[in-house]
Amino acid sequence: METSNWVAIAIGLLLFALYLSNVAGRLDRLHLKVENARNALDRQLALRSAICSDIAGLDLLDAKLRNRLANAIHASISEESLDIHTKNEWDIESEVTKSLCELFDKDFDITKYPNQKNLIQETAGATRRVQYALTFYNDAARSAIKVRRRWLVRSFRLFGRASMPVLIDFDDQIPQGLEFC
Amino acid sequence: MRIGIVCPYDWSVPGGVKQHIQDLTESLMELGHYVNVLTPTSDEESLPSYATNAGSTIALPYNGSIARIKFDPAAFTRTRNWLRLGNFDILHLHEPNSPSPSIIAAWSARGPIVATHHTSNETMYAVKNMQFLLQPMMEKVIARIAVSEEAKKTMVDHFGGDAVVIPNGVRVKNFSNAQMLPGFDKEQTVVFVGRLDEPRKGVQVLLEAMPAVFEKYPALKLLLVGPGDVDEILKSIDAKFHSRIQFKGFVDSDVKASCYASGTVYVAPNLGGESFGIVLLEAMATGTPVLASDLPAFKRVLEDGKYGKLFKTNNATDLANSLIELLGNKSEREHLRVEGRIRAEQFDWSVIVRQILDVYESVKSVEGRNVREDFRGQLYGRLTKTGRLDRRRVKNSFLTE
C-alpha cells in the first residue's frame, strides 16, 4: 500500500480515539454530576428530618398526626447507619412526606400560628428543597443512563469502573397547606 | 450568597425576560445577597449598578418576537473575565439555548449552574438541528427551572430531562397603589396592554369584537397601551369608533400600572406563545378584573375562571359577549377584584424568590465549591491539571461534619 493510505488510516484512527476520549470525558462529568446530586439529596433529606422533629414537638398541632410524623422521622434517622440504600429507605421518606401532608392539609392556615411562622416557612422550604433535589438527581441519573446505554460506550467500556446510576422514587409532594408559604 | 445572573437580551429593551431578571435581582438583594447581572446592552450609561455590560446587540427574530441578542468572539473574553472576578456561589442562566451570553457562560463555567427556561412554543427548528452541539453543554446545568408547565413541556420536547416549575413573580407593591390616569372613567374603560404590531398579542381579535361592545355601551372607551403603528390599528375598525380609542404608546412600568388601574376590565386576547400570564397578575394586583383568552397558561393563572373570566381563544364573538356581560355585571367585577388581589399576592416576588433560593440551596455543591472557569472542553485543559476531575468523594459530608 502507498504511504498516503497509511497516513489516512492513521489520521482516521487518531480522530476516532479523540472522539472516544471526548465521549468518555462527557460520561465522566455526568457520573460526577450524579454523585454530587445524590449527596445534595441526602443532605436535604437530613435537613428535612431535622426541621420536622421541631414540628413534631409543636404542641399547637394535632397530637395524633404529630406522633405519626415523629415515628416516621425516627425511622428515617435511624436508617442512616445503613450504607446500602434499600427500597425500604425510600418508603420511609415517603412516609415522612405523607405525614407532613396530613398535618398541613389544604385547610391549614398559617395566619393562625403567628409565633411559629418562621418554623412553618422553614418546613415549607425544606419540603420544596427535597422535591427539587430529587428532581435534579433523577434528571442527572437519566442523562447518564442514556449515554451509558449507547452501543459505542458499552463496547469500549467507556464508563470505566463507575456503577450504573439508579433512579430514585419516593413521594416528594409539597403539602397543600404549605404551597404559598 | 454570591449569585451571578446572565440575561440573554438587551437590557435597554423592555421585555418579559428582562423584567423577570430585574425583579429577581432586586428581590435577592433585598434579602442581602450579592448579585451581579451580565447582560448585553446598547446603552451602557443606563445600566443599574448591579449589571455588567456584555457588549452591544443585533436584532434577530426569535419566538415570534424580535429579540436583541449577542453572540461574538469578544463576548467569550468578557464572560470569562466576569466569571473570574465574580467568584460566584451560583451561576443562574436565563434562556440557556438562545444564542447569547447565556450559552457562552454555560460553555465557560463549571460548578453549581442553574438555568431558567422562559420560552414556550411548538417547535424551535434551529434548536432541534443544533441539539447535538448543545447537549454536552446543557449537561453542565445542574438545575433547570421552567416558568410554567408549557415552558417545561417545550424544554422537555427539545432537550429531554426534567425541570421544576417556579412561576414568574409580580412586584405587587409596585401595582397595588397605582393611581388612575386622568380623563378615564373607572366604570367605562377597556384596557389592552401589549405590542400592537405583534400578531400573537391578539389586538386584532379585540378590534374585531369591539364594535358590538361600543354599540351596547355608548360611553365606553378603549385604551390601547403598547408600541405599534396607530394608523394600522385604526384602519381595521370602523371610522365612527375612532374617537373612542385612545393610544398610550410605549410606557414605563409606573404608567403601565396606572393604565391597568384605569380600566373597568383588562382584556388579554393573546393567541399563543405565552408561557405565563404575568400581565394578568399585574392587572389583578392593581385590582382590575381580567378577561383573558383560554390559553393553557392563562387558564392556570386564573384557575379555570376562579380569579378572572375566560373566553375562547381567537374567537371575537365570544370575546364580545363575555365583555358585554362583564361590563354589565358590577357585583361580578367586585368579586373578581377581591379574588384577583388574593391571587396576585400568591405570586408576589417575596414568595417566589424563596422558591428560587431553595433551588440554589439544593444545588450548592456539597463540597462547597463555587462557580469557576471550565477548561475541560479545551485541549489545553485536558493535558494540564486544571482540566482533570476532582475525585474527592465526600459521602454524606453533612452528616459527619
Side-chain angles (χ1 to χ4, degrees), chain B residues 135-397:
Chain B
Q135 197 75 44
M137 212 181 304
M138 289 301 116
E139 277 166 3
K140 285 205 260 178
V141 175
I142 295 174
R144 289 170 196 288
I145 303 172
V147 295
S148 64
E149 290 295 337
E150 286 68 36
K152 177 173 162 180
K153 191 177 169 301
T154 306
M155 189 220 93
V156 172
D157 287 350
H158 287 84
F159 295 99
D162 204 355
V164 298
V165 176
I166 298 179
N168 261 314
V170 59
R171 299 271 269 183
V172 171
K173 68 174 192 291
N174 291 358
F175 289 92
S176 53
N177 297 322
Q179 299 298 311
M180 277 185 59
L181 293 174
F184 285 96
D185 185 350
K186 180 73 191 163
E187 296 299 307
Q188 296 289 343
T189 312
V190 172
V191 182
F192 167 91
V193 178
R195 297 189 71 96
L196 303 178
D197 48 9
E198 231 176 74
R200 70 188 177 99
K201 301 288 182 199
V203 69
Q204 289 301 335
V205 183
L206 178 61
L207 291 173
E208 208 183 312
M210 278 320 281
V213 188
F214 278 142
E215 296 284 359
K216 178 92 184 172
Y217 297 98
L220 192 72
K221 276 185 185 167
L222 174 63
L223 174 61
L224 298 177
V225 186
D229 188 355
V230 172
D231 295 332
E232 202 65 35
I233 296 295
L234 289 176
K235 231 183 275 171
S236 50
I237 191 163
D238 198 323
K240 66 178 172 186
F241 299 121
H242 284 186
S243 61
R244 295 165 67 178
I245 303 179
Q246 299 224 359
F247 293 89
K248 243 344 195 184
F250 171 74
V251 294
D252 64 27
S253 54
D254 287 348
V255 184
K256 190 163 85 173
S258 299
C259 292
Y260 288 123
S262 312
T264 324
V265 176
Y266 165 76
V267 180
N270 302 43
L271 303 179
E274 215 60 38
S275 71
F276 187 77
I278 194 77
V279 279
L280 306 188
L281 288 172
E282 288 176 355
M284 280 143 85
T286 63
T288 302
V290 168
L291 174 61
S293 49
D294 58 356
L295 300 173
F298 287 179
K299 261 164 104 170
R300 203 159 291 129
V301 170
L302 300 178
E303 267 192 10
D304 290 318
K306 186 172 171 221
Y307 299 104
K309 225 170 144 69
L310 293 160
F311 69 92
K312 289 196 193 74
T313 307
N314 208 1
N315 184 332
T317 331
D318 194 33
L319 169 57
N321 292 338
S322 315
L323 191 51
I324 288 169
E325 200 188 306
L326 191 55
L327 284 167
N329 190 341
K330 195 166 170 148
S331 65
E332 189 182 0
R333 289 206 312 270
E334 185 57 29
H335 173 72
L336 289 179
R337 196 180 68 78
V338 176
E339 290 287 324
R341 281 227 156 113
I342 294 171
R343 187 63 168 168
E345 283 293 341
Q346 294 177 345
F347 290 88
D348 186 44
W349 264 108
S350 63
V351 179
I352 304 296
V353 77
R354 278 209 298 274
Q355 302 183 14
I356 303 230
L357 276 168
D358 284 333
V359 172
Y360 294 167
E361 208 58 58
S362 58
V363 302
K364 240 175 42 181
S365 170
V366 241
E367 306 110 292
R369 304 212 53 179
N370 53 3
V371 179
R372 52 217 186 273
E373 275 186 272
D374 191 356
F375 296 103
R376 290 170 303 180
Q378 298 165 344
L379 194 59
Y380 157 75
R382 235 181 286 163
L383 297 176
T384 59
K385 209 180 157 203
T386 41
R388 285 192 213 131
L389 291 176
D390 351 272
R391 274 272 159 245
R392 285 192 297 140
R393 248 193 101 100
V394 194
K395 186 76 183 160
N396 285 339
S397 59

Side-chain angles (χ1 to χ4, degrees), chain A residues 4 30 40 44 52 69 85 118 126 129 136 141 143 155-156 161 165-167 171:
Chain A
S4 60
L30 282 174
Q44 292 309 335
C52 285
L69 180 64
H85 296 292
N118 277 341
R129 288 195 293 271
F136 302 145
S143 51
S155 33
F156 285 87
R161 285 184 302 272
V166 280
L167 296 178
D171 188 349

Side-chain angles (χ1 to χ4, degrees), chain A residues 151-172:
Chain A
W151 170 81
L152 202 68
V153 174
R154 274 183 293 138
S155 33
F156 285 87
R157 294 189 60 85
L158 296 180
F159 44 81
R161 285 184 302 272
S163 54
M164 190 72 143
V166 280
L167 296 178
I168 294 175
D169 181 33
F170 64 86
D171 188 349
D172 65 344

